[in-house]
Amino acid sequence: KQWYQAVVSTQSTGLKAAVEEGKRIPTELKKDAVALQKQIDLDGNADTTLNSLDDEYLYAGVRDPKLVLTTSHNPSSRLKQFSKEIRLILPNCQRLNRGHFVVKDLVEACKSNDVTDLIVLHEHRGVPDGMVISHLPYGPTAYFSLSNVVMRHDIPNVGPVQEIYPHLIFHNFTTKLGKRLESILKYLFPVPKPESKRVMSFVNTEDYISFRHHVYTGPNNKIELSE
């Protein structure tokens, strides 16, 4: 019994460290990750402040997110193009034609297929102007207004999109609401590999979030960024 408790304690420590540091769950722990997280909670070793703030994401990092992306009814060609680019930004994202589906039917279909997040894009007169992110099955749901949208084809000499899992940078998400929004955005992405050279930045300035997407290279010990 003491040997078993020692093994569980070691495994729980390894899992907790991986989740807190945003690292990939060790292969030998993936099978028992959910049970170990529950054991951490029962032992009182979990971060109760974080859990009470954002309990919906308690097991985030244990499994990769599974996303579904769609648009409002009758999307314009520009909104369709925008949805394609969002799909390239978000790993493990499946784009779905809206058709005549209502939101309730979309949500139920996503729940039955173990989708973690449903994303709906909106537009005004052909210009993308809104994004809804709903974490399933119990929320939270957030609406983001979009402005000054620049798509890949608006950037001269843009290169191809890498689909490797990106590293994330969040700046100035320091308030309670900021931490909440950071979690909503952060857990749309799986844990990247250390060698990934793809970076996405979310910078909060007076409640406006600027998003940038870069790939970096380091020739001759110098860092070079490309959009």
Side-chain angles (χ1 to χ4, degrees):
K1 183 177 180 180
Q2 291 179 345
W3 175 84
Y4 173 77
Q5 290 176 339
V7 171
V8 171
S9 177
T10 301
Q11 292 177 335
S12 298
T13 301
L15 175 64
K16 184 179 179 183
V19 172
E20 289 179 349
E21 296 172 12
K23 295 181 178 179
R24 187 177 293 272
I25 302 296
T27 303
E28 64 272 15
L29 299 182
K30 285 185 177 180
K31 181 180 178 181
D32 302 316
V34 173
L36 288 171
Q37 180 62 57
K38 291 180 179 179
Q39 185 63 44
I40 291 173
D41 294 344
L42 291 174
D43 291 342
N45 293 327
D47 186 343
T48 56
T49 301
L50 178 61
N51 292 346
S52 62
L53 170 68
D54 211 359
D55 191 58
E56 302 91 347
Y57 296 102
L58 179 60
Y59 300 117
V62 175
R63 301 186 183 95
D64 285 347
K66 183 180 179 181
L67 315 179
V68 166
L69 171 69
T70 190
T71 65
S72 54
H73 293 291
N74 302 316
S76 66
S77 58
R78 188 166 175 81
L79 187 63
K80 290 179 180 178
Q81 182 62 39
F82 183 57
S83 69
K84 292 178 181 178
E85 296 197 8
I86 293 296
R87 192 203 67 78
L88 292 174
I89 287 172
L90 298 171
N92 303 332
C93 182
Q94 179 179 355
R95 193 166 62 93
L96 177 69
N97 292 328
R98 178 69 178 268
H100 297 289
F101 289 109
V102 297
V103 171
K104 181 179 179 181
D105 294 338
L106 287 173
V107 171
E108 291 302 321
C110 289
K111 286 182 178 179
S112 63
N113 287 278
D114 296 323
V115 171
T116 60
D117 296 89
L118 172 64
I119 303 169
V120 183
L121 303 176
H122 295 273
E123 64 182 340
H124 178 68
R125 296 183 178 180
V127 179
D129 72 340
M131 178 173 63
V132 178
I133 300 175
S134 184
H135 184 64
L136 302 175
Y138 304 118
T141 296
Y143 176 84
F144 296 88
S145 295
L146 303 178
S147 60
N148 301 322
V149 174
V150 178
M151 294 196 280
R152 291 184 62 251
H153 296 292
D154 299 326
I155 303 173
N157 303 318
V158 68
V161 176
Q162 294 187 11
E163 296 194 47
I164 190 171
Y165 296 168
H167 295 287
L168 304 177
I169 297 174
F170 288 91
H171 177 69
N172 203 25
F173 289 78
T174 55
T175 65
K176 186 176 181 180
L177 176 60
K179 292 295 184 184
R180 184 71 156 162
L181 293 176
E182 180 180 335
S183 294
I184 292 172
L185 295 169
K186 178 170 65 175
Y187 292 121
L188 296 175
F189 298 86
V191 179
K193 294 183 178 180
E195 60 268 23
S196 172
K197 295 184 181 299
R198 190 182 183 196
V199 180
M200 296 185 183
S201 305
F202 299 84
V203 179
N204 177 31
T205 305
E206 297 182 352
D207 294 335
Y208 286 88
I209 301 174
S210 300
F211 170 77
R212 301 292 293 275
H213 179 193
H214 293 94
V215 175
Y216 71 88
T217 56
N220 301 321
N221 296 321
K222 295 182 179 180
I223 299 297
E224 295 183 1
L225 295 176
S226 60
E227 293 268 8

